[in-house]
Amino acid sequence: TLKAVTAFGQDTFFNQRFKAFVEKVNTEGKGIMKIQVIGGPESMPPFEVGNALRAGVVDIANSTGVFHANMVPEALAMTLAEKSMAELRANGGYALLDEIHRQKANMVWLGRVSDGLQYHVYSNKPVSSSDLSGLKLRSVPVYRSFFQAVGATPLQVPPGEVYTALERGVVDGYGWPSIGVFDLGWQEKTKFRVEPGFYNVEVSLFMNQNTWKKLDAAQRAFLEKQVAWAESQNANDLKVAEEEKARQAKAGIQTINLPGEQAAIFRAKAYDAGWKGIEQAAPQNAPKLKALFSNGR
Amino acid sequence: MALQSAAAEGPAPSGAPSGGMYHFLMILCGVAGAMLFAAMAVLVCVDVFMRNVGMGNISWGVEMTEYMLMVATFLAAPWLLYLNDHIRVDIVVRGVSAPVARGLELITDAFGFAVCAVLAWQSVVVAQDAAAQGSMVFKVLIFPEWWLNVPMGLSCTLLAIEFARRFQRGLRAPERN
Amino acid sequence: MEWYSALLLMLGLMFAFMAIGIPVAFTFLGVNLVGAWLFLGGEAGLGQLVRNSVGSITSFSLTPIPLFVLMGEVLFHTGLAFRAIEAIERLINKLPGRLSVVAVLGGTTFATLSGSTIANTAMMGGVMLPQMLKRGYHPTMAMGPIMAVGGIAMLIPPSALAVMLGSLAGISIAELLIGGILPGLLMALCFLGYVIIRCHINPELAPADESATKAEGWERWKPFMRDVVPLFAIFVAVVGSMLAGWASPTESAAIGAVASVIATVFYRALTWQALYKSLMETAQVSVVILFVLVASTTFAQLLSFSGATSGLLSLINELQLSPLMLVLGMLAILLVLGCVIDQISMMMITLPFFMPLAHAAGIDPVWLGVMMLVAMELGLLTPPFGLLLMVMQSVAPPSIRLQQIYGAAMPFIIMEVAVLGLVIAVPWLAIGLPRMMN
Ligand code: NA
Ligand code: NA
């Protein structure tokens, strides 16, 4: 039996694929392997999931590289990926980052269960160019330096306070994936979503390396097959994102489309800031990863 | 005035009499905690002020506040034990005879010592492990992750020492019947 | 290990350690070590425990705890709080049970300026009790109102305990703080009515005193306008900065703390010594809370990790209780626990179970949170173990027996239970104001 935790709440979007994965493994894998989900953030704090995996406290986890960038700063390349998982598996990008995970954090990057969703700037003030100066945006470390690069003031606000902060104007907006705004009720206090989005919201399955080594050939083959299935489901994400955007429009969130040239600058600044962060933290691996993960940047 | 004089007295501070360097160290822990809380209040206010007059903000403000809260808590905990101020449920202890109460007190001290010693040891292990792994905290403030384990390690060490001291004092104390 | 064995082990150890008098924080730390070893897996588990412990306290959401406490301590140690109470005393004339009325009004005023129940009761007890006993007040009338009104400090914002509850339970801290206002004021009204009526019927409970100032007109109101009204600026600074969008709810606590210090400067009451004392006292009161949090947050995680939480929850879910029954059950558990343990431990023990249950049953978290605060406030007064009873014992003269203190609290316990019942029956009392705010 493999002990599993998830870094996301049981009923959130980013936990759905993992749920389906576990169910499928447990029904099809009778006698081969069984995954027991121990819990979510109430059992293991998200930023500790990486360490729990590394130490063998748990065997498998539904998490994101963002949560263990303290140990593997290169993991943020997954968020900056402009190539699909299929491409990365073909061009060696997956193999490289998996190897880095094994070496640095004793964990195996099994596969990716969210691919192609983007982050967006949600704002209560109109935005017309890639210059966001004057905006106070609730931010998390992943896109913090990007927000600074476009002139915004990034603020750290606990999730539970964002609603009030939006309502009272303590912040003018926030960064968030294209999905999930409704989970927190923030749509009530949000006026605009800025297009284009940026980055590639990443959720992955990771496994403790010792556990992986203990699996026999049949078990590994079975697991890889199931992971491949989970990854194949990612294609649906884009449709879900479109539905969610339509739902946002219905809830009164207007779309701001940055004009073409500004959009290009906006995205370029996002990726520049992101890769610069990885380059500073992991100067040796960053260029290799950048070549494999990005699209000619 | 009656009210003013009552104010001057206030609630009597509970304290364990002791002297010398150790006493000084314990008070220092308390003072450090108190000063960190004061600095926290000022830091947050300055941050809010700057943001609202359009001077930008202190980018590391929130993080720093979190670390200050953590450090203050761990630093002041041994001082509180020294003052015998940690809350306890003493309904049973109050009802038993003096020798039993003394026995329970010794058990408490031994228990506290063991728990804190293990936590101190594990703090060191975790810090060493994080240092060997090369973990870094990548927020606005970037620093080696093992720094975060130092306050708890220090705190648990001091707590273990204080529990040991109490245990020894408890053994020496003449039985009062 | 089956979930019920895990549950029995964790809770059993906890109660055993607590019962023999091991301080709450170290009880939890000890149980955590055992739990981490068993459920997280040996030494790696112990290391994970240490990491989680550090993480649990490195949280911006908890910063209002020391800051709210600091607000009260500054007013206390600079003597401003006493001046305010004197001014209120001057206003109250000819009412039956005059000093008891002053205690309720003064305590309620101070509750809007202080986030700490202990500071409130210690101050009111230290100031009012000697006078009342000297003038022949019956112990019930002397000690009861002081103890009862002390608890209101944790209901009316600022409140360190409400912040803790909000952050642990995942309830909006701002809404919880605002939600406590009406029940808190309602309690103060009940206390006031009780004191006046009882003393009117039986004047011997509170002998009329000659010392009451006979000042009339402006002379009577001047101290109030000078020493009380401006203090509300502090309250306005906290709530106003939040409503105006200058500061987030968490940040507003810091503004409150600094505003209190600035207020004492305006009154020329601030000395270095008073500031030092306030800060030290703040560290003392708030680190007790914060250090328990270190241990108990990880306790809840371990309980959940072991499967005990979900096991028990599914058992309760099978009972198919209605939301109302569920709420009544939770409050009953809190009231029973409140007799023997402190507020912080109560939260720690119950929240890992209560919140998932409430969530599943669709119970309004703010409503539940406010009722939990009231139930926990009751625990401050219920014998045998009640924090306010102990504070009272420490400030009362030795001639007062413990039974007298228990007896004094009794009528107020009944009134608080009545208010709790009212909040159950009329949820609007708890969620009305927060709704309006949105
Ligand atoms: Na209060
Ligand atoms: Na009680």
Side-chain angles (χ1 to χ4, degrees):
Chain A
T1 308
L2 303 176
K3 282 205 264 183
V5 291
T6 167
F8 305 93
Q10 289 297 333
D11 301 321
T12 57
F13 176 79
F14 294 112
N15 202 44
Q16 283 172 11
R17 189 128 321 131
F18 177 61
K19 253 188 187 166
F21 168 78
V22 170
E23 206 167 293
K24 196 154 176 292
V25 165
N26 287 345
T27 44
E28 293 177 18
K30 291 225 166 70
I32 309 173
M33 86 175 31
K34 185 174 186 308
I35 296 177
Q36 184 206 356
V37 181
I38 286 175
E42 73 286 352
S43 309
M44 186 59 70
F47 282 93
E48 286 299 330
V49 167
N51 187 71
L53 268 175
R54 171 172 169 265
V57 170
V58 296
D59 299 309
I60 192 165
N62 179 45
S63 181
T64 160
V66 174
F67 289 150
H68 58 248
N70 55 335
M71 297 191 292
V72 191
E74 294 95 332
L76 290 177
M78 300 188 275
T79 298
L80 299 178
E82 293 173 87
K83 295 206 170 90
S84 76
M85 208 49 193
E87 289 172 276
L88 288 175
R89 285 192 184 268
N91 76 1
Y94 163 78
L96 174 62
L97 194 50
D98 177 40
E99 187 54 33
I100 294 173
H101 271 94
R102 290 178 192 232
Q103 277 174 11
K104 282 197 164 180
N106 191 34
M107 61 170 95
V108 178
W109 180 25
L110 290 177
R112 181 163 182 163
V113 287
S114 163
D115 199 5
L117 292 177
Q118 294 189 311
Y119 291 100
H120 287 272
V121 170
Y122 295 85
S123 161
N124 283 329
K125 288 184 181 169
V127 171
S128 53
S129 73
S130 63
D131 178 15
L132 303 187
S133 49
L135 280 191
K136 292 174 288 183
L137 296 179
R138 191 256 176 182
S139 160
V140 296
V142 201
Y143 36 77
R144 193 194 146 74
S145 53
F146 162 48
F147 282 2
Q148 260 174 334
V150 288
T153 305
L155 293 183
Q156 283 175 293
V157 183
E161 281 188 14
V162 172
Y163 186 94
T164 321
L166 285 167
E167 178 174 62
R168 305 293 172 202
V170 176
V171 296
D172 303 313
Y174 52 92
W176 204 255
S178 46
I179 286 179
V181 171
F182 290 90
D183 290 348
L184 300 145
W186 297 351
Q187 79 282 356
E188 290 171 21
K189 301 293 163 195
T190 307
K191 290 203 183 111
F192 306 107
R193 184 189 66 253
V194 178
E195 293 281 351
F198 55 96
Y199 298 169
N200 185 347
V201 181
E202 179 258 333
V203 179
S204 291
L205 302 177
F206 300 94
M207 187 179 232
N208 173 278
Q209 190 173 210
N210 305 352
T211 309
W212 172 255
K213 282 179 180 160
K214 271 185 226 146
L215 298 179
D216 60 34
Q219 287 174 316
R220 284 189 199 176
F222 172 74
L223 190 61
E224 276 170 348
K225 196 181 106 197
Q226 299 302 327
V227 169
W229 172 81
E231 257 178 21
S232 72
Q233 303 293 304
N234 290 346
N236 298 338
D237 286 357
L238 297 177
K239 212 180 85 205
V240 177
E242 286 313 310
E243 285 166 11
E244 181 96 349
K245 284 179 184 177
R247 192 174 161 212
Q248 287 181 6
K250 246 186 222 157
I253 300 180
Q254 299 171 41
T255 307
I256 295 180
N257 284 302
L258 292 183
E261 190 187 329
Q262 287 299 321
I265 298 174
F266 183 77
R267 281 177 61 84
K269 281 191 172 166
Y271 286 94
D272 281 352
W275 283 109
K276 213 162 125 196
I278 300 181
E279 277 154 19
Q280 276 168 357
Q284 275 135 27
N285 289 328
K288 289 184 245 168
L289 288 166
K290 194 173 177 181
L292 294 166
F293 278 69
S294 70
N295 252 341
R297 289 191 189 274
Chain B
M1 271 187 214
L3 293 189
Q4 300 289 17
S5 61
E9 284 165 32
S14 54
S18 175
M21 285 298 288
Y22 186 73
H23 176 74
F24 181 72
L25 176 68
M26 286 294 114
I27 301 298
L28 196 66
C29 282
V31 172
M35 292 309 139
L36 280 168
F37 287 144
M40 227 165 76
V42 173
L43 177 62
V44 175
C45 279
V46 170
D47 191 18
V48 170
F49 179 78
M50 283 176 62
R51 186 172 74 228
N52 284 293
V53 298
M55 287 162 66
N57 70 337
I58 306 175
S59 57
W60 42 266
V62 171
E63 278 168 47
M64 187 53 103
T65 314
E66 291 180 333
Y67 299 136
M68 285 158 100
L69 183 77
M70 186 265 282
V71 172
T73 301
F74 281 123
L75 276 186
W79 168 65
L80 284 184
L81 182 64
Y82 180 70
L83 297 181
N84 202 13
D85 226 22
H86 284 287
I87 39 170
R88 43 163 67 187
V89 181
D90 55 0
I91 37 172
V92 174
V93 184
R94 278 180 180 214
V96 299
S97 67
V100 177
R102 184 164 165 256
L104 288 178
E105 200 62 40
L106 285 176
I107 293 175
T108 296
D109 294 335
F111 177 92
F113 171 80
V115 167
C116 294
V118 171
L119 288 173
W121 160 59
Q122 274 302 318
S123 295
V124 173
V125 171
V126 166
Q128 279 176 339
D129 178 53
Q133 202 277 337
S135 283
M136 301 283 287
V137 175
F138 288 106
K139 295 207 223 164
V140 180
L141 300 168
I142 297 174
F143 57 90
E145 198 177 276
W146 63 267
W147 290 11
L148 290 178
N149 294 106
V150 172
M152 181 163 173
L154 189 65
S155 177
C156 289
T157 308
L158 289 175
L159 284 167
I161 293 173
E162 175 63 20
F163 272 120
R165 227 178 55 96
R166 290 166 148 258
F167 184 77
Q168 198 198 16
R169 208 177 49 200
L171 277 185
R172 272 194 320 222
E175 268 190 63
R176 286 178 234 126
N177 275 328
Chain C
M1 194 182 284
E2 290 300 324
W3 68 263
Y4 43 85
S5 325
L7 183 73
L8 278 179
L9 179 78
M10 297 282 280
L11 294 186
L13 282 179
M14 183 195 76
F15 282 122
F17 291 161
M18 273 190 189
I20 62 170
I22 292 171
V24 174
F26 299 97
T27 294
F28 278 113
L29 287 174
V31 179
N32 285 352
L33 284 179
V34 176
W37 183 272
L38 288 177
F39 306 124
L40 298 183
E43 204 190 319
L46 296 186
Q48 190 64 55
L49 172 72
V50 164
R51 296 178 60 101
N52 290 13
S53 303
V54 173
S56 66
I57 195 72
T58 314
S59 160
F60 193 59
S61 310
L62 298 176
T63 53
I65 291 176
L67 300 175
F68 279 168
V69 173
L70 179 59
M71 289 174 66
E73 298 292 346
V74 166
L75 298 178
F76 177 33
H77 288 285
T78 54
L80 277 199
F82 306 97
R83 283 169 61 172
I85 290 167
E86 271 188 2
I88 293 174
E89 188 188 347
R90 189 176 275 249
L91 278 191
I92 309 299
N93 241 335
K94 293 175 192 150
L95 266 180
R98 196 178 73 93
L99 288 178
S100 305
V101 171
V102 172
V104 173
L105 290 179
T108 309
T109 305
F110 200 53
T112 64
L113 302 169
S114 154
S116 157
T117 299
I118 303 172
N120 231 24
T121 312
M123 184 204 71
M124 296 302 300
V127 177
M128 300 294 303
L129 189 63
Q131 287 198 70
M132 290 158 102
L133 293 177
K134 201 168 71 195
R135 293 180 195 171
Y137 273 56
H138 188 274
T140 302
M141 272 305 142
M143 296 186 294
I146 294 175
M147 286 189 287
V149 84
I152 293 183
M154 66 180 256
L155 216 48
I156 295 181
S159 160
L161 223 56
V163 173
M164 187 171 157
L165 176 62
S167 96
L168 283 173
I171 304 173
S172 158
I173 292 172
E175 289 184 29
L176 198 54
L177 285 171
I178 305 285
I181 293 179
L182 280 185
L185 292 180
L186 199 61
M187 265 181 209
L189 272 179
C190 286
F191 300 161
L192 216 51
Y194 172 79
V195 165
I196 294 175
I197 294 172
R198 278 287 319 261
C199 294
H200 180 72
I201 296 174
N202 184 0
E204 277 178 23
L205 289 175
D209 54 90
E210 311 307 313
S211 71
T213 47
K214 296 289 187 285
E216 284 303 325
W218 176 240
E219 273 309 302
R220 187 173 160 209
W221 282 92
K222 192 174 130 194
F224 183 77
M225 301 312 267
R226 189 189 58 204
D227 292 337
V228 180
V229 173
L231 288 186
F232 285 110
I234 300 171
F235 185 73
V236 171
V238 175
V239 178
S241 63
M242 210 159 73
L243 294 183
W246 295 334
S248 71
T250 309
E251 292 170 333
S252 70
I255 293 177
V258 171
S260 314
V261 174
I262 292 174
T264 62
V265 171
F266 275 112
Y267 281 103
R268 297 168 187 273
L270 188 70
T271 60
W272 283 112
Q273 203 202 352
L275 186 61
Y276 174 79
K277 259 187 135 174
S278 316
L279 285 169
M280 291 301 276
E281 204 85 15
T282 299
Q284 215 169 331
V285 173
S286 49
V287 171
V288 167
I289 300 179
L290 292 168
F291 195 65
V292 174
L293 273 176
V294 172
S296 48
T297 310
T298 34
F299 175 79
Q301 285 163 3
L302 281 169
L303 212 51
S304 167
F305 199 94
S306 74
T309 310
S310 53
L312 185 67
L313 292 183
S314 56
L315 190 72
I316 294 176
N317 278 336
E318 279 170 25
L319 296 178
Q320 300 280 338
L321 295 175
S322 70
L324 183 65
M325 286 305 293
L326 211 53
V327 164
L328 290 177
M330 290 181 192
L331 294 177
I333 291 174
L334 284 177
L335 291 180
V336 171
L337 281 178
C339 291
V340 286
I341 60 176
D342 64 282
Q343 282 47 53
I344 299 159
S345 317
M346 278 159 78
M347 283 193 224
M348 303 328 316
I349 295 170
T350 58
L351 284 178
F353 305 106
F354 284 9
M355 292 326 286
L357 278 175
H359 183 69
I363 297 167
D364 186 303
V366 177
W367 180 49
L368 181 65
V370 171
M371 289 189 298
M372 287 183 72
L373 280 177
V374 176
M376 289 191 288
E377 187 184 332
L378 265 156
L380 294 168
L381 290 178
T382 47
F385 176 81
L387 203 54
L388 296 185
L389 302 168
M390 290 158 76
V391 174
M392 184 48 66
Q393 200 182 12
S394 73
V395 295
S399 62
I400 301 282
R401 283 170 301 123
L402 195 59
Q403 281 89 332
Q404 282 178 301
I405 298 181
Y406 288 171
M410 204 43 78
F412 297 90
I413 293 175
I414 295 170
M415 280 183 271
E416 291 192 5
V417 173
V419 170
L420 181 58
L422 212 54
V423 178
I424 297 175
V426 190
W428 183 87
L429 285 172
I431 54 181
L433 280 188
R435 287 285 150 74
M436 258 182 248
M437 188 181 73
N438 289 345

